[in-house]
């Protein structure tokens, strides 16, 4: 099996590649080659890996990728939310034109690969109910959400015509994100867990009763592998799926932290309300019905305790540092 | 006021232009110029009219149109449903790329015009309930519906950013369409009225209990004029509107015909079931809640009797021929 991963140097991309290499296959299919693409060169780490570095939206680039004739394309590449909002042209060029170019290249090459497309829960914008039903009309309030919604529409139409066999995953917030704190408005959901667990301070800029839906990086990779191998017949023409996740309050996150790392860790969280962060976060979805995603076999953690445990296992070697 | 109409040579475009010229204004605003564009040269009919003929998706064309610095753009141009399904490239090029190019040209020119965008009820695809609620997720089952849904998403995002002030109208089937019978699968809804009214035979290819939502050409022009002049603040970021229409069965259409033209006219309708037409028509939406559209001030006929009366007034000089 030949697998192309765009955005392969990103956090989810790297974890996906690690998992594919560790299992040396996708389901029952051995891996023949793994074509990894990003704007920075992805790590190779195996003789089966072809690591490529280029701008996906530059002329000829997608054709060069598709020339490897992938059976599966995992399209994770994209300009993130804040950047797409600040840089209108860049967001449309990469998130919309890049995706369209990839689909056109696949069509021109006469391939009909499985395509797993990274969409987002940010296709939904307020007003919406506390629990968003599976069939609610998406109404994005960002250019990023708009571009992802358009990508979903293309994936649906290309799939309906048999040009690809696509699945779009509306990813929830991934938590606990490993690595350094970043500038994302959602960063504190991970930061208030990741930093105190290793004895570092963290800032909580929003009230403790904020509820948000999360899944672990391991669950996110699981969504992709399921989308890559599932029977797509039950999807019909509706290729976008809301996967399950854990709807949890910040206060519940903190109590889960206390249970594994004690009051000492919790004391490292400084509550410092930030109206600018709050103005963004309060527009976000709280929870999702995600019945269809569950029925289609997508699986996530059942509680924040589990999400925390995954972080400890995958990032901290299985134990909380003293 | 400078008004640009794309697709101005089409049925709705021509009626819109007639109405604008007859009223010599839009609401309280006198017309300074009317820039009419289509792939065939639109009729001029007034010194204020600039009639232009070109392919909207060809390089430089939209820039040339936008150079007239319109205050209002009514974007009706597009490849119709059947053609977009047969010709994948043409549909995407005109319906998606043409719309995007128009929006980019407006942005590049630093205009922020009102834009009225012709979308379609074909953004919805089965399965859906008998009465489609205003917030149901659109799931098009045609490339045309996909392209129009993408256009709506662009109109929303451009409007949210203040680059335009857009309104997308999800047009229902327009009935009674004047002119010759055409090849559209929906043609019979108009044909079984229009043809018998002037003593000509018509074929009914579907069962009489088929229910479908319709509005007259006059109502369609009214939707556009309302969208062009309404206060858009109540729309928020949700610029796509389902306007009201008449949900009517074919049987009710026929009884309305009998009431004005007698059994003689009805006898001209030949029921000749066509499985190919039926296969298309049975996938179409029956009825719409359209509460939001009504609340926003969009108006349509209240019954098929009214739709028929509009046809008699606007196309037959106010009386049914003997």
């Amino acid at each position: 099996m030949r697998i192309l991963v765009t955005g392969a140097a990103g956090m989810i991309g790297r974890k996906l590649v690690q998992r594919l290499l560790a299992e040396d296959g996708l389901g029952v299919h051995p891996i023949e080659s793994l074509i990894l693409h990003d704007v920075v060169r992805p790590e190779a780490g195996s003789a089966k890996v072809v690591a490529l570095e280029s701008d996906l939206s530059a002329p000829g680039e997608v054709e060069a990728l598709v020339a490897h004739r992938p059976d599966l394309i995992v399209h994770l590449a994209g300009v993130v939310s804040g950047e797409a909002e600040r840089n209108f042209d860049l967001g449309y060029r990469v998130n919309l034109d890049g995706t369209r170019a990839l689909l056109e290249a696949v069509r021109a090459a006469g391939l009909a690969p499985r395509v797993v497309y990274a969409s987002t829960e940010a296709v939904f914008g307020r007003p919406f109910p506390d629990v968003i039903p599976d069939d609610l009309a998406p109404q994005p309030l960002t250019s990023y959400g708009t571009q992802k919604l358009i990508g979903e529409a293309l994936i649906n139409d290309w799939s309906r015509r048999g040009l690809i066999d696509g699945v779009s995953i509306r990813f929830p917030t991934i938590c606990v994100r490993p690595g350094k704190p970043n500038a994302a408005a959602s960063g504190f959901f991970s930061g208030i867990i990741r930093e105190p667990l290793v004895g570092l301070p963290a800032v909580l800029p929003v009230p403790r009763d904020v509820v948000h839906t999360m899944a672990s990086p391991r669950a996110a990779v699981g969504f992709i592998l399921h989308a890559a191998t599932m029977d797509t017949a039950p999807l019909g023409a509706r290729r976008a799926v809301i996967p399950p996740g854990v709807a949890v309050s910040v206060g519940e996150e903190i109590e889960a932290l206390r249970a594994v790392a004690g009051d000492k860790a919790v004391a490292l969280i400084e509550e410092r309300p930030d109206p600018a962060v709050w103005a963004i976060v309060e527009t976000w979805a709280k929870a999702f019905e995600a019945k269809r995603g569950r029925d289609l076999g997508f699986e996530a953690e059942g509680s924040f305790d589990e999400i925390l445990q995954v972080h400890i296992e995958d990032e901290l070697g299985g134990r909380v540092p003293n």
Side-chain angles (χ1 to χ4, degrees), chain A:
Chain A
M1 187 163 215
R2 292 177 301 273
I3 304 174
L4 166 62
V5 182
T6 72
M11 189 265 286
I12 297 296
R14 280 183 285 116
K15 286 187 178 287
L16 171 66
V17 170
Q18 276 172 13
R19 176 100 170 249
L20 289 169
L21 291 175
E23 298 184 0
D24 197 21
L26 179 72
V28 298
H29 304 287
I31 293 176
E32 184 185 324
S33 63
L34 201 48
I35 306 107
L36 307 184
H37 181 271
D38 211 313
V39 287
V40 295
R41 183 169 294 270
E43 285 173 49
S46 159
K48 292 180 178 174
V49 167
V50 182
L52 300 164
E53 177 190 353
S54 71
D55 177 349
L56 199 70
S57 58
E61 291 303 333
V62 289
E63 290 76 7
L65 296 180
V66 168
H68 291 273
R69 304 191 70 78
D71 310 295
L72 166 66
I73 299 175
V74 181
H75 183 37
L76 304 175
V79 167
V80 297
S81 185
E83 198 172 358
E85 200 62 21
R86 279 188 301 276
N87 193 332
F88 189 83
D89 288 303
L90 180 70
Y92 273 93
R93 186 166 62 79
V94 174
N95 293 344
L96 173 49
D97 298 335
T99 299
R100 174 110 174 267
L102 182 63
L103 293 173
E104 287 290 2
V106 164
R107 179 175 159 240
L111 308 173
R114 177 69 54 96
V115 175
V116 178
Y117 176 62
S119 185
T120 171
E121 287 178 350
V123 296
F124 294 102
R126 285 193 175 267
F128 43 53
D130 277 354
V131 179
I132 292 182
D134 283 325
D135 65 353
L136 183 72
Q139 295 279 6
L141 292 179
T142 58
S143 291
Y144 177 76
T146 302
Q147 291 146 10
K148 289 294 180 179
L149 184 63
I150 292 172
E152 289 185 1
L154 296 174
I155 296 284
N156 283 340
D157 199 39
W158 255 252
S159 296
R160 185 183 62 81
R161 284 176 170 263
L163 301 170
I164 63 168
D165 183 14
V167 183
S168 301
I169 303 169
R170 291 176 173 169
F171 279 104
T173 290
I174 303 305
C175 185
V176 181
R177 278 187 78 89
K180 301 266 178 220
N182 66 19
S186 62
F188 69 87
F189 288 118
S190 289
I192 60 169
I193 302 298
R194 184 188 58 234
E195 304 302 310
L197 269 178
V198 294
L200 296 173
V203 171
L204 174 61
V206 304
R208 286 186 179 217
D209 62 358
V210 166
V211 171
H212 196 58
T213 294
M214 307 174 197
S216 73
R218 192 197 288 176
V221 169
F223 297 158
I224 295 169
L225 295 178
H226 183 63
T229 54
M230 69 185 288
D231 175 12
T232 53
L235 290 169
R238 303 180 174 199
R239 298 304 179 115
V241 178
I242 301 175
V246 180
V248 67
S249 71
V250 168
E252 289 164 332
E253 278 194 78
I254 293 172
E255 292 317 307
L257 173 67
R258 193 189 312 274
V260 301
D263 292 337
K264 176 172 56 89
V266 172
L268 289 165
I269 302 172
E270 181 195 349
E271 300 197 40
R272 192 198 304 160
D274 182 333
V277 173
W278 177 231
I280 298 170
V281 172
E282 72 167 347
T283 66
W284 291 349
K286 289 184 167 66
F288 298 86
E289 181 186 16
K291 181 183 183 305
R292 182 165 176 263
R294 256 184 215 101
D295 289 349
L296 287 163
F298 288 87
E299 291 177 3
E301 290 81 11
S303 68
F304 195 80
D305 295 328
E306 279 184 58
I307 288 180
L308 187 47
Q309 202 52 47
V310 167
H311 178 70
I312 293 168
E313 288 173 17
D314 289 359
E315 308 297 334
L316 300 175
R319 53 183 296 276
V320 178
N322 285 324

